[in-house]
Amino acid sequence: MMIYLYLRQTATDYARWKEGFDTHLSARQAGGATGDALVLRNVDNPHELIVILGWHDLHQARTFSQSVSLQLALQKMGVIGVPEVRLLEGVG
C-alpha cells in the first residue's frame, strides 16, 4: 500500500520554491520518501502549489510531515502561512 503526503501551499516565488524543493530531496529520501513526487500549480493562482509525495510507510510519512526539517525547508522556500497537509493512501 502506498501512502501519499499531500501539501497545499502558497509560495512567494516559484523559482525560489523549486530550488528549495530540489535541495530538500535528500532529506525527503532520508525520511523514507520513495522519490515519487507530483508538483502541481494552480492555473488561476500560480503562487498556489500542490505537492504529492510517495511513501511506503505511514509512520515515516507522518513523522516527516511533522518534522522540523520540513518546516525549515518550507520557510526557506518562501511558503506563506501554514500549508494544508494530508496523509492519503492509494486504494486503486
Side-chain angles (χ1 to χ4, degrees), residues 18-34:
K18 179 70 166 105
E19 181 180 344
F21 179 77
D22 292 344
T23 301
H24 200 242
L25 174 62
S26 60
R28 291 193 302 273
Q29 291 173 332
T34 64

Side-chain angles (χ1 to χ4, degrees), residues 10-70:
T10 302
T12 55
D13 174 59
Y14 177 75
R16 174 182 170 189
W17 180 92
K18 179 70 166 105
E19 181 180 344
F21 179 77
D22 292 344
T23 301
H24 200 242
L25 174 62
S26 60
R28 291 193 302 273
Q29 291 173 332
T34 64
D36 293 330
L38 180 62
V39 176
L40 305 165
R41 188 158 59 174
N42 185 332
V43 296
D44 294 321
N45 178 3
H47 294 286
E48 182 182 89
L49 301 163
I50 293 175
V51 178
I52 301 172
L53 304 169
W55 260 264
H56 290 296
D57 181 272
L58 175 60
H59 176 73
Q60 286 182 325
R62 189 180 308 277
T63 299
F64 181 81
S65 74
Q66 299 168 354
S67 70
V68 171
S69 171
L70 177 60

